[in-house]
Amino acid sequence: MSKTIQFNRNETINSVERHLLDLQESTGDTELQLPSDIIERIGVDASLLQLLMTWSQKQKVPSLRILGLLNKDAETALDKVCENVVGLSAVTLSRAISSWDKVDIRSLGYAAAGRNVDAMIQESAKFQRGTSFAVLCFDGTSKAHPRNLYYANGDVLSARDLKALFTRRLNLAEGNSARRVRIEDVATRLGTILFEAFRNTHQWARTTVDGVPLRKSVRGLLIRRHRQHPAQHGSGLEERHEQDAPLARFLAKYLDPAGSGGVLEMSVFDGGPGLARRFRGTSDLTSLSLEDERAACLDCFDKHKTSSGMPHRGMGLCAAMRDLHQLGGFLRLRTGRLSLFRNFHEEPFVEGAPASFTDWPASENVADVAGTVLTFIIPIPEVSQ
């Protein structure tokens, strides 16, 4: 039976999981309805991107309608929709786009997406929303290797150059703010985390398990500063994320209650086969028990293993785990039929110990998703200018 999935402006990680279950249960094409803007919450945009990739791969004709957008205002409104990663990805992955009054606006949508992709690659302020920025790779198109993430020869930027990228963009985001994020103390570790996680998408998320290049898939990274505002009632970060319990608990316990700082979110995402499919070399997860899938996924975080399934190929995600531990961070992992997290304050990284994660609450019934999302959350202090 065909369904409609309607995003709202107040999505949470858990509400996105409910959308994914609805999508999984649908046996026909599912129209996606998207608002012109979505309130920023930690991990939500990355979760929505994964939903979009899962949706587009399941549909014969991925169809998108923009809530409240009328044909007479389409060109201007679509530019606004495409100024954020969710809207830009939704438009790019769709094969049919209509206004709320059911007029075909696909050509206008693609034109708006093209303008915003160019602005993103050129690091234009147009594609920088407050203290956040993103870089997307649209595999299967000419925009698969943006210069923000790749050298001219097609290699992924080094950890040092990725560090320079996000430091430059965060400084641009902060502008003349009286209080600025103190990033220098942790920048090298953050560069390593981004490098290891994004390189993994380059190596293993651009093709199917059988090596066939994916058609129009999205990979990339999203970096966002979330400020703490304790002086305003109900505006503390933990209160804004109370529906996502593991995250709210981390924020409540480890953020400075005086409001000095906040957290840095770094999400790396792709629409590839996912960790367990790649590691086990199967496109059919139903051939694996959940226990086998979890074991295959955790193997990807062990030293000297990668999602190639071959030992001694590098330290990859294990190095990212070590650096996240040093930063006192939090990690959410969503891949296949697994929704997991690890709070490195409560469960420190131990060199040589097997990787371990905790199930995200209310995840007894988890939809199978495309690709992998890694959301790293790091407490970051502020300094006065």
Side-chain angles (χ1 to χ4, degrees), residues 201-270:
T201 77
H202 175 79
Q203 291 176 324
W204 312 119
R206 296 182 297 153
T207 66
T208 66
V209 170
D210 298 323
V212 178
L214 291 172
R215 180 181 174 276
K216 195 178 272 192
S217 180
V218 180
R219 297 177 295 118
L221 58 87
L222 167 68
I223 298 179
R224 177 173 288 152
R225 164 87 180 288
H226 298 267
R227 280 192 168 94
Q228 178 80 307
H229 298 294
Q232 304 172 25
H233 177 69
S235 64
L237 280 175
E238 69 277 11
E239 294 169 285
R240 281 181 270 160
H241 295 84
E242 61 185 1
Q243 294 185 56
D244 296 322
L247 185 52
R249 186 169 66 249
F250 170 79
L251 294 169
K253 191 166 184 179
Y254 300 110
L255 281 182
D256 181 351
S260 177
V263 297
L264 191 68
E265 170 193 350
M266 303 194 311
S267 289
V268 180
F269 45 86
D270 67 69

Side-chain angles (χ1 to χ4, degrees), residues 133-193:
F133 71 93
V135 186
L136 306 181
C137 308
F138 295 96
D139 292 322
T141 76
S142 62
K143 308 296 184 181
H145 299 92
R147 67 189 187 198
N148 320 68
L149 295 176
Y150 286 89
Y151 297 116
N153 66 359
D155 289 344
V156 173
L157 292 186
S158 66
R160 182 180 66 181
D161 286 341
L162 283 171
K163 165 190 167 182
L165 166 72
F166 74 73
T167 301
R168 179 174 69 250
R169 296 305 299 269
L170 282 174
N171 286 338
L172 173 65
E174 294 289 334
N176 296 319
S177 173
R179 298 190 65 84
R180 300 172 65 90
V181 63
R182 192 170 69 204
I183 199 72
E184 293 78 9
D185 296 346
V186 299
T188 298
R189 293 189 186 280
L190 297 182
T192 299
I193 291 171

Side-chain angles (χ1 to χ4, degrees), residues 278-317:
R278 178 66 72 182
F279 197 90
R280 289 288 194 252
T282 178
S283 58
D284 182 13
L285 275 185
T286 61
S287 65
L288 300 177
S289 68
L290 282 174
E291 291 76 16
D292 286 342
E293 181 183 356
R294 189 186 188 100
C297 178
L298 296 186
D299 276 348
C300 297
F301 291 85
D302 281 344
K303 189 174 181 179
H304 300 310
K305 290 185 179 179
T306 71
S307 49
S308 66
M310 297 176 64
H312 312 300
R313 288 289 300 275
M315 297 171 66
L317 295 176

